[in-house]
Amino acid sequence: QVQLVESGGGLVQAGGSLRLSCRASAIIFGIRTMGWYRQAPGKQRELVATITSSGSTIYADSVKGRFTISRDNAKNTVNLQMNSLKPEDTAVYYCNYGQVWGQGTLVTVSS
């Protein structure tokens, strides 16, 4: 029964930065791809970024150059550094590992 817990969300002004963190309850992060998703009010959940077990990354076009995903397999964590935040980034951000999802952490960016 692996569980994922996100942290680091909050309220920030446009142009600011936040760092999200996701910790797993078991040693799983070195096995397969991890991802961050987000869901804005009234919209469907979308992929933000993924990172493979070897460190290869993929980003949504909307966040390229601003967000950085990373992982620390020894600590069972995956992080999302978000810079130059825009109001459009406002959403609940979810950590994902296969069929397992975290509860989400809210990011609100004011204009």
Side-chain angles (χ1 to χ4, degrees):
Q1 297 183 8
V2 176
Q3 294 181 320
L4 303 176
V5 180
E6 304 98 335
S7 62
L11 175 64
V12 65
Q13 188 175 357
S17 300
L18 284 175
R19 183 170 184 260
L20 306 183
S21 182
C22 172
R23 181 179 293 276
S25 62
I27 303 175
I28 60 172
F29 282 36
I31 304 302
R32 60 168 293 174
T33 298
M34 301 291 302
W36 282 97
Y37 289 71
R38 67 185 182 186
Q39 186 167 20
K43 297 187 177 182
Q44 295 185 328
R45 188 171 299 184
E46 65 176 350
L47 178 66
V48 175
T50 62
I51 183 167
T52 68
S53 60
S54 61
S56 297
T57 58
I58 295 176
Y59 296 92
D61 289 340
S62 60
V63 306
K64 286 181 179 178
R66 300 188 298 119
F67 291 9
T68 302
I69 188 172
S70 62
R71 65 193 296 165
D72 187 335
N73 295 332
K75 297 181 179 180
N76 291 338
T77 59
V78 60
N79 304 304
L80 185 69
Q81 178 66 46
M82 305 185 293
N83 298 325
S84 301
L85 284 163
K86 305 175 181 179
E88 308 93 272
D89 295 318
T90 295
V92 176
Y93 285 70
Y94 298 89
C95 180
N96 170 259
Y97 176 80
Q99 298 180 32
V100 182
W101 294 85
Q103 291 183 303
T105 184
L106 177 63
V107 172
T108 302
V109 184
S110 62
S111 60

